Amino acid sequence: MTDTLRLAIILNPDLPPGLLANTAGAIGIGLAAKFPMLAGNSLTDAKGAMIDVSSKYPVPILQGTTDHIKALMFKALDAGGERGVVAFPAFARSLHAYEEYENTFKQRDLHDEVIDGLGLVGPEKWIKSLTGNLKLLR
């Protein structure tokens, strides 16, 4: 990726705190899987305690209605180039095994689904064009 990399996570602010945290965590894992350079190394402190890096980039957590999140998702999916789009459809919460999610997903139409969260990674200009008008989640 030649442009400056940027990422954002957009969540439905109406979710309870536990579901917000779960959604953000799951999306973050998906973004890092797509672009391992988002983290992937370790740091050692002065006394030798070594930790894995959480993120090399800021991770703004933004808010949007489920309709806005869905519209952003489809706009992002239509974009070309090197980018990552990680969606968290609400139906995923009722499934407890990845294989079940994978099989169920094939039978769903995202146009008809509630999307609780969305993670985006890509060139800075592209991310800003999609998320520049969104407020931070507070």
Side-chain angles (χ1 to χ4, degrees):
M1 190 169 282
T2 57
D3 293 327
T4 303
L5 189 66
R6 190 169 181 104
L7 57 142
I9 295 176
I10 305 98
L11 301 175
N12 171 4
D14 295 332
L15 293 172
L19 295 183
L20 282 170
N22 174 261
T23 303
I27 289 171
I29 290 170
L31 292 174
K34 176 75 174 182
F35 288 95
M37 79 284 260
L38 294 174
N41 64 329
S42 301
L43 296 174
T44 304
D45 76 1
K47 296 219 177 195
M50 185 170 52
I51 64 165
D52 296 314
V53 173
S54 57
S55 179
K56 293 180 185 176
Y57 297 88
V59 185
I61 308 292
L62 307 170
Q63 61 180 314
T65 65
T66 55
D67 288 340
H68 194 137
I69 292 170
K70 188 186 300 189
L72 278 177
M73 177 187 70
F74 283 112
K75 188 173 183 180
L77 290 172
D78 284 342
E82 192 171 17
R83 47 94 174 132
V85 179
V86 177
F88 194 108
F91 75 83
R93 290 193 201 290
S94 66
L95 307 172
H96 302 291
Y98 176 75
E99 294 77 19
E100 188 180 3
Y101 174 68
E102 189 175 38
N103 291 330
T104 300
F105 192 90
K106 295 173 191 176
Q107 300 168 20
R108 302 281 186 142
D109 179 348
L110 290 177
H111 289 89
D112 298 329
E113 300 296 335
V114 172
I115 308 298
D116 282 341
L118 180 66
L120 302 170
V121 62
E124 181 174 20
K125 185 177 178 181
W126 180 68
I127 296 294
K128 283 184 177 182
S129 74
L130 292 171
T131 65
N133 64 338
L134 298 177
K135 295 179 185 177
L136 284 173
L137 179 66
R138 298 193 186 273

